[in-house]
Amino acid sequence: MLALIAGTGFYDWEALQNQQEKHVQTPYGEAVLFVGEVATPDGSKPLVFLPRHARSHSIPPHLINYRANIWALHSLGVQKIVAVNAVGSLLREVPPGSIVLVDDFLDFTYGREHTFFEGGEAGVRHTDMTDCYAKDWQRQIKAAAERAGVPIVEDGVYVCVQGPRFESRAEIRAFARLGGTISGMTGVPEVTLANELGLQYGSLAMVTNFACGLAEKVTHEEVTELMSANAERLAKILLQLVYAYQEC
């Protein structure tokens, strides 16, 4: 099964029909998600929709229960995840409105629960992150964007910060020098936890603004407005992805 994890400004998807709200109990707490189906040219396909901030945008990025969310998706039989993230750009050549296919990350978060393997009964495991954004899945996402006629920026490096504050000018300069393309607050540990459970994870990041220092000021309202304005282009890619999706 395919899952869509959506972020700021993307709280519902009209293509998802016959939605059922599910409260999934996990060892890490409750996860709330929506199970439905998307009409395709040859019938319909199931999809799990998870708004990571909740549909009311009531959960800030540093308090999202990432472990419960990923565990719940795994327990429902999800095999692949496409995540949608609202991000700021660190580079002039990646302006607002760009859609970035993420290939790697830099993690600057702290205090979050980053692993399922904390010793004891869970044991200890050191999970490889070389291809944390699954290469084959990335190729399928890229192909879906091409079929949809939506250009994307490839090989994006996602810098994940703690939030909920935006970054300082000095932080943005440093992240760009380290090779970052975009910055956001939710990509990690979502991607790492998915890898720990063997789920294929891909991310489409919508650039909603230039980061601090490249723009005069960044506001949450600005981010939400641009994300909503570009939701149609994202939806075109997602539809093509669902149409072509095959169960593993």
Side-chain angles (χ1 to χ4, degrees):
M1 192 184 302
L2 175 62
L4 167 60
I5 302 180
T8 299
F10 195 169
Y11 308 116
D12 199 358
W13 190 23
E14 62 181 15
L16 186 63
Q17 303 170 351
N18 302 320
Q19 294 186 41
Q20 293 184 350
E21 181 175 332
K22 287 189 176 294
H23 294 247
V24 181
Q25 302 302 323
T26 80
Y28 310 98
E30 182 181 82
V32 180
L33 41 79
F34 301 84
V35 178
E37 56 189 18
V38 177
T40 66
D42 55 354
S44 64
K45 292 185 179 178
L47 183 131
V48 180
F49 180 82
L50 197 162
R52 63 168 72 85
H53 296 287
R55 282 189 161 161
S56 58
H57 199 98
S58 57
I59 309 173
H62 66 297
L63 294 181
I64 292 170
N65 193 337
Y66 295 96
R67 290 196 298 182
N69 287 347
I70 298 300
W71 187 276
L73 295 179
H74 182 261
S75 71
L76 290 176
V78 166
Q79 299 167 321
K80 294 183 179 180
I81 296 170
V82 57
V84 174
N85 305 82
V87 298
S89 174
L90 309 179
L91 307 173
R92 288 288 183 192
E93 56 267 34
V94 184
S98 301
I99 298 177
V100 179
L101 181 60
V102 182
D103 180 65
D104 211 339
F105 70 82
L106 291 166
D107 181 18
F108 287 91
T109 63
Y110 50 88
R112 302 184 182 189
E113 301 294 346
H114 279 78
T115 182
F116 294 111
F117 303 104
E118 297 183 309
E121 292 185 9
V124 175
R125 182 184 300 177
H126 305 286
T127 305
D128 179 59
M129 292 291 152
T130 304
D131 292 321
C132 48
Y133 299 88
K135 293 297 184 184
D136 182 62
W137 188 219
Q138 283 191 71
R139 284 191 287 270
Q140 293 177 53
I141 296 172
K142 178 185 175 183
E146 290 173 348
R147 290 193 301 274
V150 178
I152 59 173
V153 177
E154 298 181 59
D155 302 318
V157 176
Y158 184 113
V159 180
C160 194
V161 298
Q162 179 70 0
R165 70 167 177 85
F166 289 117
E167 307 87 341
S168 71
R169 296 190 306 274
E171 287 173 327
I172 292 303
R173 290 196 301 269
F175 296 155
R177 289 171 182 166
L178 288 172
T181 310
I182 51 178
S183 64
M185 303 175 188
T186 57
V188 185
E190 201 171 82
V191 60
T192 57
L193 291 169
N195 275 263
E196 285 191 346
L197 293 186
L199 304 181
Q200 293 189 46
Y201 186 97
S203 173
L204 284 169
M206 169 59 70
V207 178
T208 58
N209 56 278
F210 279 120
C212 184
L214 299 181
E216 290 186 8
K217 189 176 181 180
V218 181
T219 67
H220 178 74
E221 291 73 23
E222 196 176 46
V223 171
T224 303
E225 287 173 9
L226 200 144
M227 189 69 181
S228 298
N230 287 277
E232 184 178 346
R233 292 193 301 134
L234 274 170
K236 288 180 179 179
I237 300 175
L238 295 172
L239 273 176
Q240 290 297 324
L241 198 59
V242 173
Y243 291 169
Y245 180 73
Q246 300 291 329
E247 294 291 337
C248 299

